[in-house]
Amino acid sequence: MTTAAPDTTPDELDAVMERAAAAAPRLAAMAPADRARLLRAAADALDAAADELVPLAMAEAHYPEARCRGELGRTTFQLRLFADVAVDGAHLEAGIDEADPEWGTPRPDVRRLLVPLGPVVVFGASNFPFAFATAGGDTASALAAGCPVVVKGHPGHPGLARRTAELLTAALSEAGAPEGAFALVTGVETGKLAVTHPRTRAVGFTGSIPGGRALYDLAVSRPDPIPFYGELGSLNPVFVTRAAMAARGKEILTGYAESANLGSGQFCTKPGVVFVPEDAPLDSLVEDFAARAAAPLLNERVGEGFARVLGDLSDHPATEVLVRGSATTDGWSPTLLRTDLDALMAHTDDLLRECFGPATLVVTYADEERLPDLAGVLHGQLTVTVHGEEDDAVAPVLLSMGAALAGRVVWNEWPTGVAVTHAMTHGGPYPATTAPGHTSVGSTAIRRFLRPVTYQSVPQPLLPPELRDDNPLGVPRRVNGVPEA
């Protein structure tokens, strides 16, 4: 295990934040093509250092090489994707309403676009040491928006965080980034101070509900509250209709086992609870869980939290242990629990808990028409999955319920794996996230770190290029409410 760096002192943090604040107007003023060059240079530097970075990730996160290389590839892909987003300019939502004395109430010439918030503090996640960490999606989207980034390194992978930051800092500097555009700080107390620092304009966070909520409370209790974009926790429920179970039950249960145990159950989109008919044959699912080998968890803290929640669930009088996992020298083997819908509804606070690791709960039901009643007890989720048939009477209701509860509704597939695309939503109502109007994955994640500004009656030469009549950057715009040709 790599030795952690000493915690960043308050004076050091203050210097980092002051440099970030000084860099903010310079980074915001960079031409989109120049900002894109920064992101592509960062991606190139990380790709070139793969043989150095991957072993660090393997040692600190206990993931196999293929997983680490794949995640690094995803990370550099999203850096390049946000470079393309910066150049395209559609994310700026540029709009022009020309002066019109006949408009309802007479209107002046008003022109609107989104501008960067300023320095962003990013908290990396333990379970994605590349894609949700030092150079991950929050960092990529904030830099693309024109915001300096200060990353609070995760203690679960200190060596990887430090080396990634060194490579990123050098690549950004060489590509022309202003000093202070990126920095890494360390320490739990440092993270709290960074959230409350007067130079911080927004926070991106991926982690646990208790940790995220504590930082969220700090962010909104400041004298000047700031946006806190936190991804906290999710059960990602799966609903299997009677028709689907009858048509392809064994296939569904096999897919569930694969998804629930991917990465030792340490995905934020792990399906932690599945609802199946009471007469569903579970023998194959039990055999699948029982045959799976133990695997290491991310770190000691994750292991302790998993053991505590698993103990509560396993010992609860409303649950039956179908497969009892255990801790070994190789890690944890999977646990499979069962209850029924009536018991679940009677003990929702006890049983509907995220158990971050290789453990899941099967809930059997007698009447699928009761499944929509769960809308009242399932809190905000990242995903809701429905396995059904197109002619299922209950399917439209379950999909509608899913849309009310989650940011992504999955049909006859599995939620693990979040594609980095333009149409992706990785978010949802609290406690899945603290900002359900946004996503932390996909190109629209950039919207978190921008705010709208309207320029009224400003002369052409003084307007931002994106709002001038000649549109020199060619960004997509609406003029008088109509997309510009």
Side-chain angles (χ1 to χ4, degrees), residues 321-355:
V321 180
L322 299 180
V323 178
R324 188 178 296 277
S326 61
T328 71
T329 55
D330 295 324
W332 278 89
S333 56
T335 292
L336 184 65
L337 305 169
R338 178 170 62 185
T339 190
D340 60 55
L341 187 58
D342 288 333
L344 180 77
M345 296 295 280
H347 303 282
T348 54
D349 289 343
D350 294 335
L351 301 185
L352 291 177
R353 298 174 62 188
E354 182 180 23
C355 191

Short mmCIF file of all heavy atoms in Angstrom, two decimals, residues 321-355:
data_model
loop_
_atom_site.label_atom_id
_atom_site.label_comp_id
_atom_site.label_asym_id
_atom_site.label_seq_id
_atom_site.Cartn_x
_atom_site.Cartn_y
_atom_site.Cartn_z
N VAL A 321 -31.59 -16.08 5.38
CA VAL A 321 -30.30 -16.14 4.70
C VAL A 321 -30.30 -17.36 3.78
O VAL A 321 -30.28 -18.50 4.24
CB VAL A 321 -29.13 -16.21 5.69
CG1 VAL A 321 -27.81 -16.26 4.93
CG2 VAL A 321 -29.16 -15.02 6.64
N LEU A 322 -30.30 -17.10 2.46
CA LEU A 322 -30.25 -18.19 1.48
C LEU A 322 -28.82 -18.63 1.21
O LEU A 322 -28.55 -19.82 1.02
CB LEU A 322 -30.91 -17.75 0.18
CG LEU A 322 -32.39 -17.37 0.25
CD1 LEU A 322 -32.90 -16.96 -1.13
CD2 LEU A 322 -33.22 -18.51 0.80
N VAL A 323 -27.91 -17.68 1.16
CA VAL A 323 -26.48 -17.96 1.01
C VAL A 323 -25.76 -17.04 1.98
O VAL A 323 -25.90 -15.82 1.91
CB VAL A 323 -25.98 -17.71 -0.42
CG1 VAL A 323 -24.46 -17.96 -0.49
CG2 VAL A 323 -26.72 -18.58 -1.42
N ARG A 324 -25.01 -17.63 2.90
CA ARG A 324 -24.31 -16.83 3.90
C ARG A 324 -22.85 -16.64 3.47
O ARG A 324 -22.05 -17.58 3.50
CB ARG A 324 -24.37 -17.49 5.27
CG ARG A 324 -23.81 -16.60 6.39
CD ARG A 324 -23.94 -17.27 7.74
NE ARG A 324 -25.32 -17.50 8.14
CZ ARG A 324 -26.10 -16.58 8.71
NH1 ARG A 324 -25.64 -15.36 8.93
NH2 ARG A 324 -27.35 -16.88 9.04
N GLY A 325 -22.52 -15.44 3.08
CA GLY A 325 -21.14 -15.14 2.74
C GLY A 325 -20.30 -14.96 3.99
O GLY A 325 -20.82 -14.86 5.12
N SER A 326 -19.01 -14.93 3.80
CA SER A 326 -18.12 -14.78 4.96
C SER A 326 -16.85 -14.08 4.54
O SER A 326 -16.50 -14.01 3.35
CB SER A 326 -17.80 -16.15 5.55
OG SER A 326 -17.13 -16.96 4.59
N ALA A 327 -16.16 -13.56 5.53
CA ALA A 327 -14.88 -12.90 5.29
C ALA A 327 -13.77 -13.94 5.36
O ALA A 327 -13.71 -14.75 6.30
CB ALA A 327 -14.64 -11.82 6.33
N THR A 328 -12.91 -13.94 4.35
CA THR A 328 -11.76 -14.85 4.31
C THR A 328 -10.51 -14.04 4.03
O THR A 328 -10.56 -12.82 3.87
CB THR A 328 -11.94 -15.91 3.21
OG1 THR A 328 -11.79 -15.26 1.92
CG2 THR A 328 -13.32 -16.55 3.28
N THR A 329 -9.39 -14.71 3.96
CA THR A 329 -8.16 -14.01 3.62
C THR A 329 -8.20 -13.45 2.21
O THR A 329 -7.44 -12.54 1.87
CB THR A 329 -6.96 -14.95 3.76
OG1 THR A 329 -7.18 -16.12 2.96
CG2 THR A 329 -6.76 -15.37 5.21
N ASP A 330 -9.10 -13.99 1.36
CA ASP A 330 -9.22 -13.51 -0.01
C ASP A 330 -10.26 -12.40 -0.16
O ASP A 330 -10.43 -11.85 -1.24
CB ASP A 330 -9.62 -14.67 -0.94
CG ASP A 330 -8.55 -15.74 -1.03
OD1 ASP A 330 -7.36 -15.36 -1.01
OD2 ASP A 330 -8.90 -16.93 -1.11
N GLY A 331 -10.99 -12.11 0.93
CA GLY A 331 -12.02 -11.08 0.86
C GLY A 331 -13.35 -11.63 1.34
O GLY A 331 -13.40 -12.54 2.18
N TRP A 332 -14.44 -11.11 0.77
CA TRP A 332 -15.79 -11.52 1.15
C TRP A 332 -16.43 -12.35 0.05
O TRP A 332 -16.35 -12.00 -1.12
CB TRP A 332 -16.67 -10.29 1.40
CG TRP A 332 -16.51 -9.69 2.77
CD1 TRP A 332 -15.61 -8.73 3.13
CD2 TRP A 332 -17.27 -10.00 3.93
NE1 TRP A 332 -15.76 -8.43 4.46
CE2 TRP A 332 -16.79 -9.18 4.98
CE3 TRP A 332 -18.32 -10.89 4.19
CZ2 TRP A 332 -17.32 -9.23 6.26
CZ3 TRP A 332 -18.86 -10.92 5.47
CH2 TRP A 332 -18.35 -10.11 6.50
N SER A 333 -17.11 -13.43 0.44
CA SER A 333 -17.94 -14.17 -0.51
C SER A 333 -19.36 -13.61 -0.45
O SER A 333 -19.76 -13.00 0.54
CB SER A 333 -17.92 -15.67 -0.18
OG SER A 333 -18.34 -15.90 1.16
N PRO A 334 -20.17 -13.81 -1.50
CA PRO A 334 -21.47 -13.15 -1.58
C PRO A 334 -22.50 -13.71 -0.60
O PRO A 334 -22.48 -14.90 -0.24
CB PRO A 334 -21.91 -13.41 -3.02
CG PRO A 334 -20.68 -13.79 -3.76
CD PRO A 334 -19.81 -14.48 -2.76
N THR A 335 -23.42 -12.83 -0.21
CA THR A 335 -24.56 -13.20 0.63
C THR A 335 -25.85 -12.93 -0.13
O THR A 335 -25.98 -11.90 -0.79
CB THR A 335 -24.55 -12.40 1.94
OG1 THR A 335 -23.44 -12.80 2.74
CG2 THR A 335 -25.84 -12.61 2.73
N LEU A 336 -26.80 -13.86 -0.01
CA LEU A 336 -28.11 -13.70 -0.63
C LEU A 336 -29.17 -13.83 0.46
O LEU A 336 -29.22 -14.83 1.17
CB LEU A 336 -28.33 -14.77 -1.70
CG LEU A 336 -29.63 -14.69 -2.50
CD1 LEU A 336 -29.68 -13.42 -3.34
CD2 LEU A 336 -29.78 -15.92 -3.40
N LEU A 337 -30.01 -12.81 0.59
CA LEU A 337 -31.05 -12.78 1.61
C LEU A 337 -32.43 -12.79 0.94
O LEU A 337 -32.57 -12.41 -0.22
CB LEU A 337 -30.92 -11.52 2.46
CG LEU A 337 -29.57 -11.28 3.14
CD1 LEU A 337 -29.51 -9.89 3.73
CD2 LEU A 337 -29.33 -12.34 4.22
N ARG A 338 -33.44 -13.22 1.71
CA ARG A 338 -34.80 -13.21 1.18
C ARG A 338 -35.78 -12.71 2.24
O ARG A 338 -35.62 -12.95 3.42
CB ARG A 338 -35.23 -14.62 0.75
CG ARG A 338 -36.69 -14.67 0.23
CD ARG A 338 -37.02 -15.99 -0.42
NE ARG A 338 -36.91 -17.12 0.50
CZ ARG A 338 -37.07 -18.39 0.13
NH1 ARG A 338 -37.32 -18.69 -1.14
NH2 ARG A 338 -36.94 -19.37 1.01
N THR A 339 -36.80 -11.99 1.75
CA THR A 339 -37.95 -11.63 2.58
C THR A 339 -39.16 -11.60 1.65
O THR A 339 -39.05 -11.90 0.46
CB THR A 339 -37.72 -10.28 3.28
OG1 THR A 339 -38.75 -10.07 4.26
CG2 THR A 339 -37.74 -9.12 2.30
N ASP A 340 -40.32 -11.25 2.19
CA ASP A 340 -41.49 -11.11 1.33
C ASP A 340 -42.00 -9.68 1.37
O ASP A 340 -41.56 -8.87 2.21
CB ASP A 340 -42.60 -12.10 1.71
CG ASP A 340 -43.09 -11.90 3.13
OD1 ASP A 340 -43.51 -10.78 3.48
OD2 ASP A 340 -43.07 -12.89 3.90
N LEU A 341 -42.91 -9.36 0.48
CA LEU A 341 -43.34 -7.98 0.32
C LEU A 341 -44.00 -7.44 1.58
O LEU A 341 -43.76 -6.29 1.98
CB LEU A 341 -44.29 -7.87 -0.87
CG LEU A 341 -44.71 -6.45 -1.27
CD1 LEU A 341 -43.49 -5.59 -1.59
CD2 LEU A 341 -45.64 -6.50 -2.49
N ASP A 342 -44.82 -8.26 2.25
CA ASP A 342 -45.48 -7.80 3.47
C ASP A 342 -44.46 -7.45 4.55
O ASP A 342 -44.56 -6.42 5.22
CB ASP A 342 -46.45 -8.87 4.00
CG ASP A 342 -47.69 -9.00 3.14
OD1 ASP A 342 -48.08 -7.99 2.50
OD2 ASP A 342 -48.28 -10.10 3.11
N ALA A 343 -43.45 -8.31 4.71
CA ALA A 343 -42.42 -8.06 5.72
C ALA A 343 -41.61 -6.83 5.37
O ALA A 343 -41.25 -6.03 6.25
CB ALA A 343 -41.50 -9.28 5.85
N LEU A 344 -41.33 -6.68 4.09
CA LEU A 344 -40.56 -5.50 3.66
C LEU A 344 -41.34 -4.22 3.97
O LEU A 344 -40.77 -3.25 4.50
CB LEU A 344 -40.27 -5.57 2.17
CG LEU A 344 -39.46 -4.39 1.62
CD1 LEU A 344 -38.00 -4.54 1.99
CD2 LEU A 344 -39.61 -4.28 0.11
N MET A 345 -42.62 -4.21 3.66
CA MET A 345 -43.42 -3.02 3.90
C MET A 345 -43.54 -2.71 5.39
O MET A 345 -43.69 -1.55 5.79
CB MET A 345 -44.82 -3.20 3.30
CG MET A 345 -44.82 -3.33 1.79
SD MET A 345 -44.25 -1.84 0.93
CE MET A 345 -45.73 -0.83 0.99
N ALA A 346 -43.42 -3.74 6.21
CA ALA A 346 -43.49 -3.53 7.66
C ALA A 346 -42.17 -3.08 8.26
O ALA A 346 -42.14 -2.54 9.38
CB ALA A 346 -43.95 -4.82 8.35
N HIS A 347 -41.07 -3.29 7.53
CA HIS A 347 -39.73 -2.98 8.07
C HIS A 347 -38.89 -2.24 7.03
O HIS A 347 -37.71 -2.54 6.85
CB HIS A 347 -39.02 -4.26 8.50
CG HIS A 347 -39.75 -5.08 9.50
ND1 HIS A 347 -39.79 -4.78 10.85
CD2 HIS A 347 -40.52 -6.21 9.36
CE1 HIS A 347 -40.51 -5.68 11.50
NE2 HIS A 347 -40.97 -6.56 10.61
N THR A 348 -39.47 -1.27 6.37
CA THR A 348 -38.75 -0.62 5.27
C THR A 348 -37.46 0.06 5.72
O THR A 348 -36.44 -0.03 5.05
CB THR A 348 -39.66 0.40 4.56
OG1 THR A 348 -40.19 1.31 5.53
CG2 THR A 348 -40.79 -0.29 3.84
N ASP A 349 -37.50 0.75 6.85
CA ASP A 349 -36.30 1.46 7.29
C ASP A 349 -35.15 0.49 7.60
O ASP A 349 -33.97 0.82 7.39
CB ASP A 349 -36.60 2.30 8.54
CG ASP A 349 -37.48 3.50 8.23
OD1 ASP A 349 -37.59 3.85 7.04
OD2 ASP A 349 -38.06 4.07 9.17
N ASP A 350 -35.49 -0.70 8.09
CA ASP A 350 -34.45 -1.68 8.43
C ASP A 350 -33.92 -2.40 7.20
O ASP A 350 -32.71 -2.70 7.11
CB ASP A 350 -35.01 -2.72 9.40
CG ASP A 350 -35.36 -2.13 10.76
OD1 ASP A 350 -34.78 -1.09 11.11
OD2 ASP A 350 -36.21 -2.72 11.44
N LEU A 351 -34.80 -2.71 6.25
CA LEU A 351 -34.42 -3.59 5.14
C LEU A 351 -34.02 -2.86 3.87
O LEU A 351 -33.23 -3.39 3.08
CB LEU A 351 -35.56 -4.56 4.84
CG LEU A 351 -36.01 -5.45 6.00
CD1 LEU A 351 -37.07 -6.43 5.53
CD2 LEU A 351 -34.83 -6.19 6.62
N LEU A 352 -34.54 -1.68 3.65
CA LEU A 352 -34.19 -0.93 2.44
C LEU A 352 -32.98 -0.06 2.71
O LEU A 352 -33.02 1.17 2.71
CB LEU A 352 -35.38 -0.10 1.96
CG LEU A 352 -36.56 -0.90 1.42
CD1 LEU A 352 -37.70 0.02 1.04
CD2 LEU A 352 -36.13 -1.74 0.20
N ARG A 353 -31.85 -0.74 2.92
CA ARG A 353 -30.58 -0.06 3.21
C ARG A 353 -29.55 -0.49 2.17
O ARG A 353 -29.48 -1.67 1.80
CB ARG A 353 -30.07 -0.42 4.60
CG ARG A 353 -30.98 0.00 5.73
CD ARG A 353 -30.48 -0.53 7.06
NE ARG A 353 -29.15 -0.02 7.41
CZ ARG A 353 -28.43 -0.44 8.43
NH1 ARG A 353 -28.91 -1.41 9.22
NH2 ARG A 353 -27.24 0.07 8.69
N GLU A 354 -28.76 0.46 1.73
CA GLU A 354 -27.68 0.11 0.81
C GLU A 354 -26.61 -0.68 1.56
O GLU A 354 -26.12 -0.24 2.60
CB GLU A 354 -27.06 1.35 0.19
CG GLU A 354 -25.96 1.02 -0.82
CD GLU A 354 -25.33 2.25 -1.44
OE1 GLU A 354 -25.39 3.33 -0.83
OE2 GLU A 354 -24.75 2.13 -2.54
N CYS A 355 -26.28 -1.85 1.03
CA CYS A 355 -25.22 -2.68 1.59
C CYS A 355 -24.12 -2.73 0.55
O CYS A 355 -24.16 -3.54 -0.39
CB CYS A 355 -25.75 -4.08 1.92
SG CYS A 355 -24.61 -5.09 2.89
#
